mmCIF file of all heavy atoms in Angstrom:
data_model
loop_
_atom_site.group_PDB
_atom_site.id
_atom_site.type_symbol
_atom_site.label_atom_id
_atom_site.label_comp_id
_atom_site.label_asym_id
_atom_site.label_seq_id
_atom_site.Cartn_x
_atom_site.Cartn_y
_atom_site.Cartn_z
ATOM 1 N N ASN A 894 -38.359 44.593 47.398
ATOM 2 C CA ASN A 894 -39.674 44.560 46.768
ATOM 3 C C ASN A 894 -40.650 43.783 47.653
ATOM 4 O O ASN A 894 -40.355 42.657 48.074
ATOM 5 C CB ASN A 894 -39.589 43.913 45.384
ATOM 6 C CG ASN A 894 -38.708 44.709 44.447
ATOM 7 O OD1 ASN A 894 -38.901 45.914 44.274
ATOM 8 N ND2 ASN A 894 -37.731 44.045 43.841
ATOM 9 N N VAL A 895 -41.790 44.389 47.907
ATOM 10 C CA VAL A 895 -42.774 43.819 48.829
ATOM 11 C C VAL A 895 -43.938 43.214 48.065
ATOM 12 O O VAL A 895 -44.496 43.857 47.154
ATOM 13 C CB VAL A 895 -43.293 44.899 49.801
ATOM 14 C CG1 VAL A 895 -44.379 44.337 50.714
ATOM 15 C CG2 VAL A 895 -42.147 45.474 50.623
ATOM 16 N N THR A 896 -44.305 41.999 48.426
ATOM 17 C CA THR A 896 -45.495 41.360 47.883
ATOM 18 C C THR A 896 -46.400 40.969 49.053
ATOM 19 O O THR A 896 -46.011 40.167 49.903
ATOM 20 C CB THR A 896 -45.147 40.088 47.084
ATOM 21 O OG1 THR A 896 -44.255 40.431 46.022
ATOM 22 C CG2 THR A 896 -46.412 39.457 46.494
ATOM 23 N N TYR A 897 -47.580 41.555 49.090
ATOM 24 C CA TYR A 897 -48.480 41.280 50.217
ATOM 25 C C TYR A 897 -49.151 39.928 50.032
ATOM 26 O O TYR A 897 -49.637 39.597 48.950
ATOM 27 C CB TYR A 897 -49.494 42.410 50.360
ATOM 28 C CG TYR A 897 -48.846 43.682 50.863
ATOM 29 C CD1 TYR A 897 -48.540 44.724 49.987
ATOM 30 C CD2 TYR A 897 -48.502 43.810 52.202
ATOM 31 C CE1 TYR A 897 -47.908 45.871 50.438
ATOM 32 C CE2 TYR A 897 -47.870 44.955 52.658
ATOM 33 C CZ TYR A 897 -47.569 45.980 51.787
ATOM 34 O OH TYR A 897 -46.935 47.105 52.232
ATOM 35 N N THR A 898 -49.165 39.159 51.097
ATOM 36 C CA THR A 898 -49.708 37.805 51.046
ATOM 37 C C THR A 898 -51.029 37.685 51.786
ATOM 38 O O THR A 898 -51.636 36.621 51.805
ATOM 39 C CB THR A 898 -48.703 36.823 51.666
ATOM 40 O OG1 THR A 898 -48.416 37.232 53.017
ATOM 41 C CG2 THR A 898 -47.407 36.792 50.864
ATOM 42 N N SER A 899 -51.470 38.750 52.390
ATOM 43 C CA SER A 899 -52.718 38.737 53.142
ATOM 44 C C SER A 899 -53.244 40.155 53.262
ATOM 45 O O SER A 899 -52.479 41.125 53.171
ATOM 46 C CB SER A 899 -52.497 38.141 54.539
ATOM 47 O OG SER A 899 -53.645 38.306 55.342
ATOM 48 N N THR A 900 -54.527 40.266 53.462
ATOM 49 C CA THR A 900 -55.125 41.586 53.728
ATOM 50 C C THR A 900 -55.017 41.934 55.211
ATOM 51 O O THR A 900 -55.339 43.054 55.614
ATOM 52 C CB THR A 900 -56.610 41.597 53.323
ATOM 53 O OG1 THR A 900 -57.301 40.577 54.059
ATOM 54 C CG2 THR A 900 -56.766 41.353 51.833
ATOM 55 N N LYS A 901 -54.562 40.977 56.013
ATOM 56 C CA LYS A 901 -54.540 41.169 57.455
ATOM 57 C C LYS A 901 -53.250 41.844 57.924
ATOM 58 O O LYS A 901 -52.180 41.637 57.365
ATOM 59 C CB LYS A 901 -54.673 39.822 58.174
ATOM 60 C CG LYS A 901 -55.988 39.118 57.934
ATOM 61 C CD LYS A 901 -56.016 37.785 58.684
ATOM 62 C CE LYS A 901 -57.325 37.061 58.463
ATOM 63 N NZ LYS A 901 -57.352 35.742 59.176
ATOM 64 N N HIS A 902 -53.400 42.643 58.965
ATOM 65 C CA HIS A 902 -52.254 43.193 59.676
ATOM 66 C C HIS A 902 -51.984 42.308 60.884
ATOM 67 O O HIS A 902 -52.906 41.749 61.489
ATOM 68 C CB HIS A 902 -52.532 44.627 60.134
ATOM 69 C CG HIS A 902 -52.567 45.613 59.018
ATOM 70 N ND1 HIS A 902 -51.485 46.393 58.680
ATOM 71 C CD2 HIS A 902 -53.551 45.944 58.142
ATOM 72 C CE1 HIS A 902 -51.800 47.172 57.648
ATOM 73 N NE2 HIS A 902 -53.046 46.908 57.303
ATOM 74 N N ILE A 903 -50.730 42.155 61.231
ATOM 75 C CA ILE A 903 -50.387 41.310 62.369
ATOM 76 C C ILE A 903 -50.907 41.932 63.660
ATOM 77 O O ILE A 903 -50.815 43.140 63.865
ATOM 78 C CB ILE A 903 -48.864 41.077 62.455
ATOM 79 C CG1 ILE A 903 -48.096 42.409 62.506
ATOM 80 C CG2 ILE A 903 -48.388 40.251 61.275
ATOM 81 C CD1 ILE A 903 -46.584 42.266 62.638
ATOM 82 N N LYS A 904 -51.477 41.103 64.505
ATOM 83 C CA LYS A 904 -51.973 41.579 65.794
ATOM 84 C C LYS A 904 -50.874 41.446 66.835
ATOM 85 O O LYS A 904 -50.235 40.409 66.954
ATOM 86 C CB LYS A 904 -53.201 40.784 66.228
ATOM 87 C CG LYS A 904 -53.789 41.263 67.551
ATOM 88 C CD LYS A 904 -55.008 40.444 67.963
ATOM 89 C CE LYS A 904 -55.514 40.870 69.330
ATOM 90 N NZ LYS A 904 -56.690 40.077 69.774
ATOM 91 N N ILE A 905 -50.677 42.502 67.614
ATOM 92 C CA ILE A 905 -49.579 42.536 68.567
ATOM 93 C C ILE A 905 -50.040 42.226 69.983
ATOM 94 O O ILE A 905 -49.496 41.353 70.651
ATOM 95 C CB ILE A 905 -48.882 43.917 68.532
ATOM 96 C CG1 ILE A 905 -48.432 44.241 67.111
ATOM 97 C CG2 ILE A 905 -47.701 43.942 69.495
ATOM 98 C CD1 ILE A 905 -47.528 43.201 66.473
ATOM 99 N N GLU A 906 -51.038 42.920 70.455
ATOM 100 C CA GLU A 906 -51.529 42.694 71.809
ATOM 101 C C GLU A 906 -52.885 43.373 71.976
ATOM 102 O O GLU A 906 -53.294 44.194 71.159
ATOM 103 C CB GLU A 906 -50.552 43.226 72.859
ATOM 104 C CG GLU A 906 -50.403 44.745 72.862
ATOM 105 C CD GLU A 906 -49.482 45.244 73.970
ATOM 106 O OE1 GLU A 906 -49.007 44.439 74.790
ATOM 107 O OE2 GLU A 906 -49.238 46.469 74.014
ATOM 108 N N ASP A 907 -53.552 43.024 73.058
ATOM 109 C CA ASP A 907 -54.781 43.710 73.466
ATOM 110 C C ASP A 907 -54.449 44.647 74.615
ATOM 111 O O ASP A 907 -53.744 44.256 75.564
ATOM 112 C CB ASP A 907 -55.847 42.701 73.915
ATOM 113 C CG ASP A 907 -56.426 41.927 72.750
ATOM 114 O OD1 ASP A 907 -56.984 42.565 71.840
ATOM 115 O OD2 ASP A 907 -56.318 40.680 72.748
ATOM 116 N N ARG A 908 -54.975 45.838 74.518
ATOM 117 C CA ARG A 908 -54.710 46.833 75.552
ATOM 118 C C ARG A 908 -55.990 47.186 76.304
ATOM 119 O O ARG A 908 -57.083 47.127 75.745
ATOM 120 C CB ARG A 908 -54.108 48.107 74.942
ATOM 121 C CG ARG A 908 -52.698 47.910 74.412
ATOM 122 C CD ARG A 908 -52.092 49.187 73.878
ATOM 123 N NE ARG A 908 -50.658 49.025 73.646
ATOM 124 C CZ ARG A 908 -49.843 49.991 73.217
ATOM 125 N NH1 ARG A 908 -50.337 51.200 72.959
ATOM 126 N NH2 ARG A 908 -48.559 49.766 73.057
ATOM 127 N N THR A 909 -55.797 47.550 77.554
ATOM 128 C CA THR A 909 -56.908 47.975 78.384
ATOM 129 C C THR A 909 -56.539 49.291 79.045
ATOM 130 O O THR A 909 -55.469 49.402 79.660
ATOM 131 C CB THR A 909 -57.230 46.932 79.473
ATOM 132 O OG1 THR A 909 -57.529 45.694 78.849
ATOM 133 C CG2 THR A 909 -58.407 47.377 80.319
ATOM 134 N N PHE A 910 -57.400 50.275 78.912
ATOM 135 C CA PHE A 910 -57.165 51.594 79.516
ATOM 136 C C PHE A 910 -58.323 51.924 80.436
ATOM 137 O O PHE A 910 -59.481 51.890 80.025
ATOM 138 C CB PHE A 910 -57.031 52.664 78.428
ATOM 139 C CG PHE A 910 -56.647 54.020 78.956
ATOM 140 C CD1 PHE A 910 -55.320 54.392 79.049
ATOM 141 C CD2 PHE A 910 -57.625 54.934 79.370
ATOM 142 C CE1 PHE A 910 -54.965 55.640 79.546
ATOM 143 C CE2 PHE A 910 -57.276 56.176 79.860
ATOM 144 C CZ PHE A 910 -55.939 56.527 79.951
ATOM 145 N N ASP A 911 -58.007 52.245 81.682
ATOM 146 C CA ASP A 911 -59.021 52.615 82.663
ATOM 147 C C ASP A 911 -58.956 54.120 82.892
ATOM 148 O O ASP A 911 -58.033 54.610 83.553
ATOM 149 C CB ASP A 911 -58.767 51.869 83.975
ATOM 150 C CG ASP A 911 -59.823 52.173 85.037
ATOM 151 O OD1 ASP A 911 -60.678 53.038 84.802
ATOM 152 O OD2 ASP A 911 -59.766 51.547 86.115
ATOM 153 N N PRO A 912 -59.904 54.880 82.349
ATOM 154 C CA PRO A 912 -59.839 56.339 82.496
ATOM 155 C C PRO A 912 -59.956 56.812 83.936
ATOM 156 O O PRO A 912 -59.611 57.954 84.242
ATOM 157 C CB PRO A 912 -61.013 56.834 81.646
ATOM 158 C CG PRO A 912 -61.940 55.675 81.540
ATOM 159 C CD PRO A 912 -61.076 54.455 81.567
ATOM 160 N N ALA A 913 -60.427 55.939 84.825
ATOM 161 C CA ALA A 913 -60.544 56.323 86.233
ATOM 162 C C ALA A 913 -59.178 56.415 86.914
ATOM 163 O O ALA A 913 -59.056 57.023 87.968
ATOM 164 C CB ALA A 913 -61.430 55.332 86.979
ATOM 165 N N LYS A 914 -58.155 55.793 86.305
ATOM 166 C CA LYS A 914 -56.838 55.839 86.955
ATOM 167 C C LYS A 914 -55.663 56.054 86.008
ATOM 168 O O LYS A 914 -54.647 56.627 86.406
ATOM 169 C CB LYS A 914 -56.607 54.574 87.774
ATOM 170 C CG LYS A 914 -56.372 53.303 86.976
ATOM 171 C CD LYS A 914 -56.003 52.144 87.916
ATOM 172 C CE LYS A 914 -55.601 50.904 87.148
ATOM 173 N NZ LYS A 914 -55.184 49.802 88.047
ATOM 174 N N ASN A 915 -55.759 55.609 84.741
ATOM 175 C CA ASN A 915 -54.572 55.539 83.899
ATOM 176 C C ASN A 915 -54.116 56.860 83.289
ATOM 177 O O ASN A 915 -53.096 56.886 82.594
ATOM 178 C CB ASN A 915 -54.767 54.495 82.805
ATOM 179 C CG ASN A 915 -54.772 53.082 83.321
ATOM 180 O OD1 ASN A 915 -55.510 52.226 82.838
ATOM 181 N ND2 ASN A 915 -53.961 52.797 84.332
ATOM 182 N N TYR A 916 -54.826 57.947 83.545
ATOM 183 C CA TYR A 916 -54.311 59.243 83.118
ATOM 184 C C TYR A 916 -53.205 59.740 84.043
ATOM 185 O O TYR A 916 -52.547 60.742 83.740
ATOM 186 C CB TYR A 916 -55.427 60.280 83.033
ATOM 187 C CG TYR A 916 -56.343 60.080 81.840
ATOM 188 C CD1 TYR A 916 -57.707 59.884 82.001
ATOM 189 C CD2 TYR A 916 -55.834 60.096 80.544
ATOM 190 C CE1 TYR A 916 -58.550 59.706 80.913
ATOM 191 C CE2 TYR A 916 -56.660 59.915 79.444
ATOM 192 C CZ TYR A 916 -58.023 59.722 79.628
ATOM 193 O OH TYR A 916 -58.847 59.542 78.540
ATOM 194 N N LEU A 917 -53.020 59.065 85.174
ATOM 195 C CA LEU A 917 -51.929 59.370 86.085
ATOM 196 C C LEU A 917 -51.143 58.090 86.344
ATOM 197 O O LEU A 917 -51.670 56.991 86.236
ATOM 198 C CB LEU A 917 -52.447 59.924 87.412
ATOM 199 C CG LEU A 917 -53.187 61.265 87.364
ATOM 200 C CD1 LEU A 917 -53.707 61.623 88.756
ATOM 201 C CD2 LEU A 917 -52.290 62.379 86.832
ATOM 202 N N TRP A 918 -49.883 58.243 86.688
ATOM 203 C CA TRP A 918 -49.063 57.113 87.072
ATOM 204 C C TRP A 918 -49.138 56.919 88.584
ATOM 205 O O TRP A 918 -49.390 57.875 89.332
ATOM 206 C CB TRP A 918 -47.608 57.349 86.667
ATOM 207 C CG TRP A 918 -47.368 57.275 85.191
ATOM 208 C CD1 TRP A 918 -48.285 57.032 84.212
ATOM 209 C CD2 TRP A 918 -46.118 57.445 84.538
ATOM 210 N NE1 TRP A 918 -47.675 57.036 82.980
ATOM 211 C CE2 TRP A 918 -46.343 57.294 83.150
ATOM 212 C CE3 TRP A 918 -44.826 57.713 84.975
ATOM 213 C CZ2 TRP A 918 -45.317 57.395 82.211
ATOM 214 C CZ3 TRP A 918 -43.806 57.817 84.046
ATOM 215 C CH2 TRP A 918 -44.053 57.654 82.671
ATOM 216 N N PRO A 919 -48.884 55.699 89.054
ATOM 217 C CA PRO A 919 -48.866 55.480 90.497
ATOM 218 C C PRO A 919 -47.606 56.043 91.135
ATOM 219 O O PRO A 919 -46.524 56.028 90.529
ATOM 220 C CB PRO A 919 -48.901 53.957 90.616
ATOM 221 C CG PRO A 919 -48.254 53.475 89.360
ATOM 222 C CD PRO A 919 -48.660 54.456 88.291
ATOM 223 N N ILE A 920 -47.741 56.555 92.339
ATOM 224 C CA ILE A 920 -46.574 56.943 93.117
ATOM 225 C C ILE A 920 -45.877 55.666 93.572
ATOM 226 O O ILE A 920 -46.547 54.711 93.994
ATOM 227 C CB ILE A 920 -46.985 57.791 94.330
ATOM 228 C CG1 ILE A 920 -47.628 59.095 93.852
ATOM 229 C CG2 ILE A 920 -45.789 58.093 95.221
ATOM 230 C CD1 ILE A 920 -48.214 59.917 94.961
ATOM 231 N N PRO A 921 -44.569 55.580 93.464
ATOM 232 C CA PRO A 921 -43.879 54.362 93.895
ATOM 233 C C PRO A 921 -44.267 53.988 95.327
ATOM 234 O O PRO A 921 -44.278 54.840 96.220
ATOM 235 C CB PRO A 921 -42.398 54.744 93.802
ATOM 236 C CG PRO A 921 -42.354 55.868 92.835
ATOM 237 C CD PRO A 921 -43.637 56.609 92.987
ATOM 238 N N GLN A 922 -44.577 52.729 95.535
ATOM 239 C CA GLN A 922 -45.017 52.299 96.854
ATOM 240 C C GLN A 922 -43.947 52.546 97.914
ATOM 241 O O GLN A 922 -44.256 52.833 99.071
ATOM 242 C CB GLN A 922 -45.384 50.815 96.828
ATOM 243 C CG GLN A 922 -46.074 50.323 98.088
ATOM 244 C CD GLN A 922 -47.371 51.062 98.364
ATOM 245 O OE1 GLN A 922 -48.163 51.297 97.456
ATOM 246 N NE2 GLN A 922 -47.578 51.452 99.626
ATOM 247 N N SER A 923 -42.688 52.450 97.517
ATOM 248 C CA SER A 923 -41.604 52.703 98.473
ATOM 249 C C SER A 923 -41.671 54.113 99.026
ATOM 250 O O SER A 923 -41.337 54.356 100.194
ATOM 251 C CB SER A 923 -40.248 52.470 97.804
ATOM 252 O OG SER A 923 -40.084 53.343 96.691
ATOM 253 N N GLN A 924 -42.107 55.058 98.191
ATOM 254 C CA GLN A 924 -42.219 56.441 98.650
ATOM 255 C C GLN A 924 -43.437 56.646 99.545
ATOM 256 O O GLN A 924 -43.392 57.386 100.517
ATOM 257 C CB GLN A 924 -42.281 57.381 97.440
ATOM 258 C CG GLN A 924 -41.017 57.400 96.621
ATOM 259 C CD GLN A 924 -39.821 57.878 97.442
ATOM 260 O OE1 GLN A 924 -39.678 59.057 97.725
ATOM 261 N NE2 GLN A 924 -38.974 56.941 97.842
ATOM 262 N N VAL A 925 -44.537 55.970 99.181
ATOM 263 C CA VAL A 925 -45.734 56.048 100.024
ATOM 264 C C VAL A 925 -45.433 55.463 101.406
ATOM 265 O O VAL A 925 -45.877 55.993 102.439
ATOM 266 C CB VAL A 925 -46.909 55.297 99.370
ATOM 267 C CG1 VAL A 925 -48.126 55.265 100.300
ATOM 268 C CG2 VAL A 925 -47.282 55.964 98.043
ATOM 269 N N ASP A 926 -44.647 54.389 101.441
ATOM 270 C CA ASP A 926 -44.306 53.758 102.714
ATOM 271 C C ASP A 926 -43.434 54.654 103.580
ATOM 272 O O ASP A 926 -43.561 54.665 104.812
ATOM 273 C CB ASP A 926 -43.579 52.430 102.467
ATOM 274 C CG ASP A 926 -44.484 51.376 101.839
ATOM 275 O OD1 ASP A 926 -45.717 51.525 101.929
ATOM 276 O OD2 ASP A 926 -43.943 50.415 101.252
ATOM 277 N N LEU A 927 -42.543 55.423 102.948
ATOM 278 C CA LEU A 927 -41.621 56.272 103.706
ATOM 279 C C LEU A 927 -42.224 57.621 104.066
ATOM 280 O O LEU A 927 -41.963 58.150 105.138
ATOM 281 C CB LEU A 927 -40.335 56.474 102.908
ATOM 282 C CG LEU A 927 -39.427 55.254 102.754
ATOM 283 C CD1 LEU A 927 -38.315 55.539 101.777
ATOM 284 C CD2 LEU A 927 -38.867 54.827 104.096
#
Side-chain angles (χ1 to χ4, degrees):
N894 297 307
V895 177
T896 302
Y897 289 102
T898 57
S899 171
T900 59
K901 296 180 180 179
H902 289 263
I903 56 178
K904 182 180 176 181
I905 305 304
E906 67 177 356
D907 288 301
R908 291 183 168 182
T909 302
F910 186 91
D911 182 354
K914 71 174 187 177
N915 290 143
Y916 287 122
L917 296 177
W918 289 0
I920 297 173
Q922 190 60 43
S923 60
Q924 294 299 285
V925 175
D926 292 341
L927 290 171

